[in-house]
């Protein structure tokens, strides 16, 4: 197949040399290479044939891609030679061989910026001993490109993107050198400036926004440590720092939201970091406002993967934080009610009254647009609870609590309060196990009647003087059964 393509392009080259316009044919050549397998030898044969008609700098982008492919395939010598020829240097010299080839300013101006950028990247990878020099060269070229952009009324889009990548690489390389030397925290602010410049030149580049947000996140942690331990800070300004909001929080949140919006893959890591900052510092109005604005820029689907984290904090004490969490959950419930209803149903059964009230409030808001689904989920949840906890277990637990209240604490009203819901429960048996429990324990109904009789007699006397005696007749019989190990549901339970 490669031979057929070579013969076809040789025929096209012959036609072009006879005077045919080659512009349309070049577009076809580019498309053919894009459809070819990433094989170095096949690309090399095709490019040698095209060299009969085109100079290397006339298809610089294709040859840069070929150099990148050769590098990934381990053909570093070939990649190095291709890039040097594109820059107008000879093709000799081995990568990493101690060569210190720098680009003079005049050659920088003449060379294709994309080729210069690729060459500097390869040089960084080749010469580990000269990485400081590679970083300086990249910074110099970044300043040169920035000056060129400032002098133009409307800079080309590809130049702006390349300038963003130059700033990004400069910060990335500086970060790596600082990390190797153990001084990363001291140089993070300089790294942050390069990432910020990259976001300004290419506003739709995910990697730049993610790196900028991540660096702000790390600087926020450093600032927090310095605020907690002012003796490690310089001068008397450390006390003043601890009284104001962390200056890196809002930029970190804004950067993470921007990277989430631009991400084409799973952005769970960025989402969790946003939640970390929000839940920790959401009491501050600036942080809460930044999060609220960020939610408007991100699709609701993104938050489906963090529903457990959101529901876990629906009862937070901060009013503005709690209000925004409820608002986000309500939005999720509007578009994806099936993803939220069950989790809210579980939260609505919580023993924490604040949590239960918050979950019920969100379910009530969901009823406005998904009433049938909410009712079905609540019904399923109630039935699951009924199947999981039978009346025998409810009575056993209730009698244990009642016996403790009566014998240990002598709190008769509290004992009545524990037993009354159980008596109300057995009036309407629905499951077969409920019917069996009612048939096997008719004494439960008799005990309820005696309990109500005792309460009426006590109320008639306008006092509680006779209630302990009546309770001894009514309640002690069931409590003593429990104390003796009798079964509440037909079997035997030992205390």
């Amino acid at each position: 197949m490669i031979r057929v393509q070579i013969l076809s392009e040789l025929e096209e080259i012959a036609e072009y040399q006879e005077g045919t316009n080659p512009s349309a044919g070049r577009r076809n050549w580019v498309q053919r290479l894009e459809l070819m397998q990433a094989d170095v030898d096949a690309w090399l044969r095709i490019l040698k044939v095209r060299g009969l008609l085109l100079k290397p700098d006339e298809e610089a982008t294709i040859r840069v891609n070929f150099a990148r492919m050769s590098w990934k395939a381990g053909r570093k010598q070939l990649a190095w030679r291709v890039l040097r020829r594109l820059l107008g240097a000879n093709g000799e010299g081995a990568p990493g061989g101690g060569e210190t080839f720098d680009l003079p300013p005049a050659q920088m101006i003449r060379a294709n910026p994309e080729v210069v950028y690729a060459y500097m990247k390869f040089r960084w990878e080749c010469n580990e001993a000269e990485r400081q020099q590679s970083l300086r060269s990249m910074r110099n070229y970044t300043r040169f490109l920035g000056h060129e952009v400032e002098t133009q009324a409307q800079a080309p889009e590809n130049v702006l993107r390349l300038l963003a990548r130059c700033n990004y690489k400069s910060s990335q390389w500086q970060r790596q050198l600082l990390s190797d030397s153990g001084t990363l925290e001291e140089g993070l602010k300089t790294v942050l400036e390069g990432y910020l410049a990259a976001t300004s030149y290419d506003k739709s580049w995910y990697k730049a926004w993610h790196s900028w947000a991540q660096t702000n996140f790390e600087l926020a942690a450093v600032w927090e440590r310095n605020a907690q331990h002012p003796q490690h800070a310089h001068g008397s300004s450390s006390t003043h720092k601890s009284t104001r909001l962390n200056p890196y929080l809002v930029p970190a949140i804004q950067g993470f939201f921007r990277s989430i919006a631009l991400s084409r893959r799973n952005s769970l890591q960025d989402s969790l970091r946003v939640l970390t900052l929000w839940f920790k510092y959401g009491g501050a109005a600036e942080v809460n406002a930044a999060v609220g604005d960020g939610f408007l820029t991100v699709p609701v689907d993104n938050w489906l993967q963090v529903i457990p984290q959101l529901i876990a904090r629906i009862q937070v004490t901060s009013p503005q934080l709690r209000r925004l969490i409820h608002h986000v959950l309500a939005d999720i419930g509007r578009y994806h009610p099936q993803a939220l209803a069950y989790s809210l149903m579980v939260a609505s059964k919580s023993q924490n009254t604040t949590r239960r009230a918050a979950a019920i409030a969100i379910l009530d808001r969901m009823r406005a647009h998904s009433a049938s689904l909410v009712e079905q989920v609540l019904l399923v949840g109630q039935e699951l609870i009924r199947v999981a906890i039978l009346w025998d277990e409810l009575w056993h637990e209730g009698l244990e609590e009642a016996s403790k209240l009566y014998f240990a604490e002598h709190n008769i009203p509290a004992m009545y309060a524990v037993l009354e819901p159980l008596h109300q429960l057995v009036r309407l048996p629905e499951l077969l196990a409920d019917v069996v429990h009612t048939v096997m324990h008719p004494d439960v109904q008799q005990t309820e009647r005696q309990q109500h009789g005792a309460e009426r007699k006590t109320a008639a006397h306008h006092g509680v003087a006779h209630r302990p005696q009546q309770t001894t007749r009514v309640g002690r019989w069931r409590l003593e059964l429990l104390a003796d190990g009798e079964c509440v549901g037909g079997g035997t339970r030992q205390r």
Side-chain angles (χ1 to χ4, degrees), residues 159-282:
V159 176
L160 292 176
R161 286 198 301 268
L162 182 62
L163 183 55
R165 278 142 185 81
C166 288
N167 279 283
Y168 177 83
K169 278 298 176 184
S170 297
S171 291
Q172 190 181 47
W173 292 354
Q174 183 182 12
R175 182 187 180 92
Q176 184 173 342
L177 292 175
L178 291 171
S179 180
D180 293 341
S181 62
T183 58
L184 180 59
E185 290 188 1
E186 291 79 357
L188 276 178
K189 291 184 180 180
T190 308
V191 173
L192 186 66
E193 294 174 358
Y195 289 143
L196 180 60
T199 61
S200 64
Y201 288 118
D202 191 350
K203 300 183 183 300
S204 60
W205 190 23
Y206 163 77
K207 292 177 69 175
W209 284 103
H210 173 77
S211 300
W212 181 66
Q214 177 65 25
T215 306
N216 274 292
F217 184 82
E218 296 174 2
L219 282 169
V222 173
W223 192 95
E224 192 73 20
R225 286 197 299 269
N226 292 337
Q228 293 176 357
H229 305 284
Q231 63 273 16
H232 298 299
H234 298 285
S236 59
S237 61
S238 59
T239 304
H240 175 68
K241 277 187 176 181
S242 61
T243 61
R244 62 187 180 92
L245 182 67
N246 190 324
Y248 302 102
L249 291 177
V250 173
I253 292 171
Q254 293 171 343
F256 281 129
F257 271 112
R258 185 63 176 157
S259 64
I260 291 170
L262 295 173
S263 176
R264 298 179 181 177
R265 297 177 296 177
N266 188 354
S267 57
L268 177 60
Q269 184 183 25
D270 291 343
S271 301
L272 291 175
R273 283 174 177 158
V274 167
L275 294 184
T276 298
L277 296 175
W278 182 28
F279 294 151
K280 188 174 182 180
Y281 304 100

